[in-house]
């Protein structure tokens, strides 16, 4: 899972490097949407387990 | 008797006071918007944990804000003390901008901070939330105006030079100059990230000690959740700013990348360690990762990067500080991004609050935003040299008619007094954190002064010390 | 009436607000040295606690107005008063920090009180020295300050420093008389009597010395004989009235404070008359030092829109804490 972070980092830098700002922007947007989804899911789970 | 250089002393003095100062508004902006989020959630859900979070972080925010104000007053006079010539020439441009900062931001913050700190028993919860929002909005205005002033110094526009004076020809172009529109979001995001990692780091510290668990989990979740979104946007904005500065201040970015040659080798490496020799215009030592320079900086597999010799020697900034500040900021940004990604993975697997090595990493990264912000500012300010207003006024021509010995005396005095401020802030904040949110006294104290925000904490410390006897 | 004059009036306004509002704060701080009883010292600090830090924003406003509207004056006067300004800025900062930390423990409180008082003292002396420096005049060559950093360390500036200190202390004592409970109130009354007369005496000596140090001042008397005579009369009679009313119980508590404020305001008015139309006194007029029209316009629009709001809030803050400071302080 540490590798996930590193992989994401490398991927991001490659995208921004090779394909430039627009592609990186799209990638980052996707990342943000994913983040929001994950956070929402985890907070629903929290409510279930902790009440 | 060694020759003291007044130019160097003036720069060191200003650099010291402004560096110390910027730490505190950066924290304040991050914390106050966190407070807005938390108080909003409290109003919406009625969950008392949010109220506890609000009151705990409010104490630290208030202290940070107070030190920011005190050190900020110094700066508004220091333009004249250290750089009188600059003040005389640039006063007509940056003076009104800072004047509007005082009017629209400082007074606004001062006005509502009293209610925010002590109004809980006196005004209803909605008005109190409004007060919190007003202070937060005030911090945005503040950043906005001061960045307009500094951005004008970086990429000046909207003025004409008449009879040895700057005359403003177009205020819109003075404020909305080529770099302001990108530097403002960049700084705001930096401040918000500082707050996010600060609260996350403190929460992680509690979780490692199995203390204040509910408080810490919730704060960590909010902190790292925000950080995920913020760092993504920040990296994008950062890259946008890079392109802007490449266009308007090429010398700065040339110094930042560490190459000297007009055109670097192809393919260019991405340099990580250099020992530059400014006099000889070359690197004595140079270590980097192959190919990545071309890929990241030129978006191609064989592109060449422009070196600092593209700029005439008398217009070059010092490469070493610019290079290393820039790398520091960049590395911290990447570390933040990595931790954000990891935090998402851990969330997905329900292990966000229990993975000890991750929590330890967060504790280490608690001050990361501050370090990155300082590094970014050093890149910006040292990279602008030898100019104080880029392309228009050199720093060496902008000084005050004050002898070097006097500058040295006051520099030493500033360092001593600011050490007192800084130590007091640290000692007090660490005590508050060690005591934790459960140790908060019953309710807010009724007094309208900004800096009396410390009173609840002081009262609590006294109680705590008394209970320990 | 033109734009530079408007900006100059706003500068004077901001400066006056600062002097009056922070004057009594600094005065109370200095008076801490005269009070042995820790509990009364606590009450004294509580009396200025709720309202003291918004005041410093007016100092910034004044400084920035000078920078924006009269950059030549800013760039000459700030290096000219380099050391007193640094001393003032740092002592105001130390005062701010010590104010909070004096509550940290009973053991350390005396030391923090000393820092608080010392910070107030140095700030007051520094501001007075700067007034003296303005009267003395600064050396200018080709639009740049041409003197040295020690120009302001003259006996005359020490005198003006002491005068301003006495003025702030009088104002501070007046505030304590208004806001204090019994012990504070009678302490303040005892100080008021001699402070008001000391302030008067020092001002008389300073005025005589000033005419010697700055011959141009004599011309001012010639230009505004009536106004200055009235101001002098008002100043002196206020001092005498304060001394008379200081310990009397049949005079309202707020009278001394109002009279002390009148003294400060008439002093500032006199200085204003003496300096007008110069922003670098006796040398450079406000029009000569003014920045271009665009700068004044930008600033004054902001000022016009926002100042009423700021004043409204400040008045509100003071009204929330009207009346006597509670004897048990602000803690529940």
């Amino acid at each position: 899972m540490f590798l996930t972070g590193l992989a994401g980092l490398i991927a991001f830098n490659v995208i921004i490097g090779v394909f430039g700002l627009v592609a990186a922007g799209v990638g980052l947007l996707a990342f943000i949407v994913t983040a929001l989804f994950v956070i929402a899911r985890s907070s629903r789970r929290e409510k279930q387990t902790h009440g | 008797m060694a020759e003291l250089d007044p130019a160097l002393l003036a720069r060191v003095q200003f650099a010291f006071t402004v560096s110390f100062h910027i730490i505190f508004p950066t924290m304040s902006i991050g914390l106050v918007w966190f407070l807005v989020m938390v108080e909003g959630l409290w109003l919406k859900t009625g969950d008392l944990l949010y109220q506890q979070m609000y009151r705990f972080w409010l104490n630290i925010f208030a202290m940070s804000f107070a030190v920011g104000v005190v050190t900020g007053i110094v700066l508004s006079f220091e333009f004249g003390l250290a750089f009188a010539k600059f003040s005389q020439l640039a006063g007509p441009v940056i003076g009104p901008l800072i004047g509007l900062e005082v009017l629209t931001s400082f007074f606004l913050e001062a006005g509502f901070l009293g209610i925010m700190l002590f109004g809980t028993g006196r005004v209803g919860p909605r008005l109190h939330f409004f007060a919190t929002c007003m202070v937060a909005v005030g911090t945005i205005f503040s950043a906005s105006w001061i960045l307009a002033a500094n951005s004008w110094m970086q990429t000046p526009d909207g003025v004409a030079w008449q009879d040895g004076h700057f005359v403003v020809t177009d205020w819109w172009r003075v404020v909305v100059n080529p770099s302001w529109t990108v530097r403002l979001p960049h700084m705001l995001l930096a401040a918000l990230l500082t707050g996010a990692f600060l609260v996350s780091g403190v929460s992680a510290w509690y979780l490692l000690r199995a203390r204040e668990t509910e408080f810490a989990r919730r704060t960590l979740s909010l902190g790292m959740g925000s950080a995920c979104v913020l760092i993504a946007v920040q990296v994008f904005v950062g890259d946008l700013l890079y392109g802007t500065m490449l266009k308007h201040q090429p010398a700065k970015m040339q110094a930042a990348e560490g190459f000297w040659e007009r055109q670097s080798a192809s393919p260019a490496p991405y340099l990580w360690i250099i020992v530059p020799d400014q006099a000889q215009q070359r690197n004595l030592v140079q270590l980097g990762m192959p190919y990545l320079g071309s890929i990241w900086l030129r978006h191609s597999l064989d592109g060449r990067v422009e070196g600092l010799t593209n700029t005439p020697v008398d217009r070059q900034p010092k490469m070493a500080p610019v290079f290393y500040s820039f790398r520091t900021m960049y590395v911290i940004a990447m570390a933040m991004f990595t931790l954000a990604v990891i935090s998402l993975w851990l969330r997905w697997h329900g292990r966000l609050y229990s993975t000890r090595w991750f929590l330890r990493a967060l504790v280490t990264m608690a001050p990361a935003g501050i370090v990155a912000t300082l590094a970014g500012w050093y890149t910006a300010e040292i990279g602008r040299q030898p100019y104080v207003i880029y392309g228009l006024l050199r720093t060496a021509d902008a000084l005050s008619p004050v002898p070097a010995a006097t500058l040295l005396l006051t520099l030493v005095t500033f360092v001593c007094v600011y050490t007192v401020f800084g130590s007091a802030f640290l000692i007090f904040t660490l005590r508050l954190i060690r005591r934790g949110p459960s140790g908060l006294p019953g309710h807010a104290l009724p007094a309208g002064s900004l800096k009396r925000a410390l009173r609840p904490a002081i009262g609590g410390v006294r109680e705590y010390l008394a209970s320990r006897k | 009436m033109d734009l530079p004059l408007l900006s100059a009036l706003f500068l004077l306004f901001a400066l006056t607000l600062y002097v009056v509002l922070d004057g009594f704060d600094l005065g109370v701080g200095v008076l801490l040295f005269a009070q042995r009883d820790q509990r009364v010292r606590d009450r004294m600090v509580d009396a200025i606690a709720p309202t003291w830090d918004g005041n410093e924003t007016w100092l910034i406003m004044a400084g920035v107005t000078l920078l924006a509207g009269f950059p030549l004056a800013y760039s000459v006067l700030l290096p000219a008063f380099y050391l007193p300004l640094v001393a003032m800025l740092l002592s105001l900062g130390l005062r701010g920090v010590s104010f909070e930390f004096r509550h940290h423990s009973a053991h350390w409180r005396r030391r923090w009180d000393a820092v608080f008082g010392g910070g107030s003292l140095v700030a007051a002396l520094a501001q007075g020295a700067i007034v003296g420096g303005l009267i003395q005049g600064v050396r200018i060559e080709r639009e740049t300050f041409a003197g040295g950093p020690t120009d302001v360390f003259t006996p005359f500036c020490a005198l003006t420093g002491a005068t301003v200190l006495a003025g702030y202390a009088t104002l501070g004592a007046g505030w304590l008389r208004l806001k204090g409970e019994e012990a504070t109130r009678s302490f303040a009354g005892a100080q008021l009597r001699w402070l008001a007369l000391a302030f008067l005496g020092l001002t008389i000596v300073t005025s005589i010395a000033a005419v010697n140090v700055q011959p141009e001042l004599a011309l001012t008397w010639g230009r505004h004989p009536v106004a200055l005579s009235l101001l002098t009369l008002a100043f002196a009679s206020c001092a005498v009235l304060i001394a008379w009313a200081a310990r009397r119980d049949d005079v309202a508590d707020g009278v001394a404070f109002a009279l002390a404020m009148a003294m400060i305001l008439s002093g500032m008015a006199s200085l204003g008359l003496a300096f007008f139309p110069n922003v670098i006194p006796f040398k450079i007029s406000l029009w000569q030092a003014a920045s271009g029209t665009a700068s004044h316009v930008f600033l004054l629009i902001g000022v016009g829109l926002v100042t009423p709001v700021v004043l409204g809030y400040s008045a509100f803050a003071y009204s929330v804490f009207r009346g006597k400071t509670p004897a048990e302080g602000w803690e529940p």
Side-chain angles (χ1 to χ4, degrees):
Chain A
M1 157 264 344
F2 173 75
L3 291 174
T4 315
L6 200 57
L9 194 62
I10 294 172
F12 170 73
N13 276 296
V14 168
I15 293 173
I16 211 174
V18 175
F19 299 110
L21 208 52
V22 175
V26 171
L28 287 166
L29 260 170
F31 173 79
I32 293 172
V33 170
T34 312
L36 292 172
F37 172 70
V38 171
I39 293 165
R41 183 190 107 130
S42 78
S43 88
R44 247 181 289 130
R45 267 225 201 134
E46 273 282 313
K47 284 207 179 70
Q48 280 165 14
T49 44
H50 284 81
Chain B
M1 177 73 160
E3 267 298 310
L4 295 168
D5 179 13
L8 184 63
L9 284 169
R11 284 184 63 194
V12 168
Q13 180 174 291
F14 197 89
F16 176 74
T17 52
V18 80
S19 302
F20 188 90
H21 169 72
I22 195 66
I23 295 172
F24 296 95
T26 306
M27 276 195 292
S28 300
I29 299 175
L31 286 175
V32 78
W33 281 97
F34 181 76
L35 288 174
V36 167
M37 177 164 56
V38 166
E39 193 174 17
L41 284 169
W42 176 40
L43 277 179
K44 181 158 176 270
T45 65
D47 187 340
L48 281 178
L49 184 60
Y50 285 124
Q51 190 197 36
Q52 191 189 42
M53 288 161 74
Y54 183 87
R55 294 224 325 274
F56 178 79
W57 291 107
L58 182 66
N59 285 329
I60 299 180
F61 161 72
M63 280 198 287
S64 164
F65 189 86
V67 180
V69 167
V70 162
T71 52
I73 298 180
V74 171
L75 286 176
S76 61
F77 288 91
E78 213 182 345
F79 297 127
L81 295 175
F83 295 106
K85 196 68 194 164
F86 163 77
S87 310
Q88 185 188 348
L89 294 173
V93 185
I94 68 168
L97 297 179
I98 302 178
L100 258 82
E101 183 186 6
V102 177
L103 286 166
T104 62
S105 159
F106 295 167
F107 283 123
L108 181 68
E109 290 165 336
F112 285 97
L113 193 61
I115 300 178
M116 193 182 158
L117 299 178
F118 304 107
T120 313
R122 290 159 178 250
V123 303
R126 279 173 207 264
L127 180 49
H128 190 276
F129 180 59
F130 179 73
T132 307
C133 291
M134 283 298 99
V135 175
V137 166
T139 64
I140 305 286
F141 286 159
S142 181
S144 185
W145 287 112
I146 199 63
L147 274 172
N150 185 275
S151 300
W152 180 82
M153 290 163 66
Q154 304 278 359
T155 54
D157 199 0
V159 293
W161 181 258
Q162 268 173 30
D163 311 313
H165 294 106
F166 284 119
V167 168
V168 174
T169 56
D170 186 343
W171 275 111
W172 180 263
R173 284 171 56 188
V174 166
V175 175
V176 189
N177 55 64
S179 58
W180 179 71
T181 44
V182 191
R183 294 180 83 226
L184 176 59
H186 193 54
M187 178 64 198
L188 289 175
L189 287 164
L192 294 174
L193 276 164
T194 301
F197 275 90
L198 190 61
V199 305
S200 300
V202 171
S203 307
W205 189 80
Y206 286 135
L207 285 173
L208 282 170
R209 280 158 184 69
R211 281 181 58 186
E212 315 282 357
T213 336
E214 281 308 304
F215 170 92
R217 282 171 169 248
R218 190 81 62 90
T219 307
L220 183 65
S221 177
L222 284 174
M224 284 314 289
S226 317
C228 288
V229 176
L230 292 170
I231 188 64
V233 182
Q234 178 69 308
V235 174
F236 182 78
V237 170
D239 205 82
L240 202 58
L241 182 57
Y242 188 96
T244 310
M245 294 324 279
L246 196 61
K247 183 168 158 212
H248 292 279
Q249 269 194 31
K252 177 183 285 176
M253 304 330 290
Q254 288 161 10
E257 296 303 347
F259 293 104
W260 287 101
E261 318 80 29
R262 293 244 141 162
Q263 296 288 321
S264 69
S266 162
Y270 192 77
L271 295 176
W272 285 107
I273 308 237
I274 62 172
V275 178
D277 188 330
Q278 196 94 15
Q280 291 182 42
Q281 300 275 290
R282 67 184 187 90
N283 287 328
L284 303 173
V285 170
Q286 183 169 297
L287 293 171
M289 287 157 125
Y291 287 98
L292 285 180
S294 297
I295 293 176
W296 285 356
L297 305 174
R298 285 266 147 274
H299 301 311
S300 75
L301 289 170
D302 59 0
R304 296 174 188 274
V305 181
E306 288 187 351
L308 193 51
T309 48
N310 282 292
T311 306
V313 174
D314 66 337
R315 286 194 234 160
Q316 289 177 358
K318 291 268 175 293
M319 180 180 278
V322 178
F323 176 85
Y324 282 109
S325 310
F326 188 65
R327 289 287 176 273
T328 305
M329 180 187 68
Y330 184 72
V331 163
I332 293 179
M334 290 297 111
M336 287 180 169
F337 189 81
T338 310
L339 283 174
V341 172
I342 293 173
S343 79
L344 287 178
W345 175 285
L346 289 175
R347 252 190 225 267
W348 185 265
H349 293 274
R351 297 207 299 266
L352 182 62
Y353 310 117
S354 49
T355 311
R356 291 188 74 81
W357 69 261
F358 175 72
L359 294 176
R360 279 195 292 270
L362 281 185
V363 174
T364 315
M365 288 284 284
I370 296 170
V371 178
T373 305
L374 277 171
W377 274 105
Y378 288 153
T379 312
E381 297 293 284
I382 303 176
R384 187 192 58 226
Q385 304 297 328
Y387 291 106
V388 60
I389 306 175
Y390 189 73
L392 294 177
L393 182 66
R394 285 167 178 270
T395 314
D397 299 332
L399 303 172
S400 290
V402 176
T406 312
L407 286 166
L408 182 62
L409 170 67
T410 52
L411 170 61
V412 169
T413 317
F414 271 120
V415 171
C416 292
V417 176
Y418 276 29
T419 306
V420 172
F421 294 162
S423 316
F425 174 80
L426 266 178
I427 290 172
F428 224 13
T429 305
L430 291 175
R431 268 183 214 225
L432 274 174
I433 294 173
R434 244 178 278 139
R435 216 163 24 94
S438 316
L440 283 175
H443 45 269
L445 301 168
S449 148
L450 291 174
K451 291 167 197 169
R452 296 195 83 250
L454 294 181
R455 297 301 294 285
I458 297 166
V461 172
R462 252 191 291 172
E463 278 169 49
Y464 173 68
L465 290 173
S467 70
R468 290 284 305 274
K469 279 193 203 121
Chain C
M1 176 63 69
D2 61 0
L3 290 174
L5 185 57
L6 262 177
S7 297
L9 285 173
F10 180 69
L11 172 62
L12 187 63
F13 175 72
L15 206 54
T16 307
L17 262 181
Y18 170 73
V19 166
V20 166
L21 292 177
D22 215 20
F24 68 79
D25 288 341
L26 293 173
V28 171
V30 168
L31 285 171
L32 286 179
F33 284 124
Q35 176 55 255
R36 292 195 183 288
D37 188 338
Q38 182 65 61
R39 287 163 306 172
V40 180
R41 283 210 296 268
D42 287 349
R43 302 292 82 80
M44 287 165 69
V45 174
D46 281 338
I48 56 173
T51 48
W52 71 275
D53 33 45
N55 307 337
E56 291 189 351
T57 316
W58 286 108
L59 181 63
I60 312 179
M61 189 76 251
V64 174
T65 305
L66 193 64
L67 171 65
F70 310 99
L72 175 60
Y74 181 94
S75 68
V76 166
L77 292 175
L78 264 67
F81 303 128
Y82 186 88
L83 287 171
L85 277 170
V86 171
M88 179 192 79
L89 291 168
L90 289 176
S91 52
L92 286 177
L94 277 172
R95 177 189 66 151
V97 174
S98 66
F99 181 77
E100 295 303 320
F101 285 96
R102 65 184 292 281
H103 296 97
H104 183 254
S105 81
H107 174 64
W108 283 353
R109 192 169 300 179
R110 276 202 69 165
R111 281 171 231 181
W112 286 117
D113 280 354
V115 176
F116 184 64
S120 308
L121 180 74
V122 172
L125 285 173
Q127 289 174 15
I130 292 174
V131 171
L134 285 169
I135 296 175
Q136 268 179 186
V138 299
R139 279 183 280 164
I140 306 181
E141 260 165 46
R142 275 176 316 186
E143 300 198 332
T144 311
F145 175 62
T150 51
D151 286 0
V152 92
F153 296 133
T154 63
F156 178 68
C157 289
L159 189 57
T160 53
T163 310
V164 167
L165 179 63
Y168 284 170
T170 310
L171 199 58
W175 180 257
L176 288 176
R177 175 108 180 130
L178 170 63
K179 304 291 281 181
E181 36 59 71
E182 204 40 55
T184 311
R185 193 173 157 271
S186 59
F187 166 71
Q191 304 305 316
L192 267 172
R193 172 167 289 174
W194 72 270
L195 275 173
L197 295 173
F199 184 32
L200 177 62
L202 279 167
T203 307
I204 294 174
V205 174
T206 308
S207 307
I208 298 172
V211 180
N212 281 328
V213 162
Q214 180 57 261
E216 303 250 359
L217 269 179
L219 295 174
T220 314
W221 275 99
R223 275 202 298 269
H224 309 277
V226 177
L228 282 172
S229 307
L230 285 173
L231 285 170
T232 312
L233 196 59
F235 189 88
S237 32
C238 283
V240 170
L241 279 171
I242 293 176
W244 171 79
R247 310 211 70 163
R248 295 179 72 97
D249 283 327
D250 54 346
V251 174
D253 281 344
V255 165
F257 180 70
L259 289 171
M261 248 220 287
M263 287 178 79
I264 302 267
L265 287 172
S266 54
M268 286 205 74
S270 311
L271 279 176
L273 282 173
F275 293 159
F276 185 82
N278 296 315
V279 69
I280 300 181
F282 313 111
K283 291 218 160 94
I284 305 240
S285 79
L286 64 100
W287 288 279
Q288 281 172 291
S291 44
T293 309
S295 304
H296 291 274
V297 168
F298 194 91
L299 182 69
L300 287 170
I301 291 179
V303 163
L305 290 173
V306 183
T307 309
V309 177
V310 170
L311 292 175
Y313 138 72
S314 307
F316 173 70
Y318 274 94
S319 83
V320 169
F321 298 99
R322 64 185 174 278
K324 295 278 179 192
T325 309
E328 68 281 7
W330 297 111
E331 302 211 36

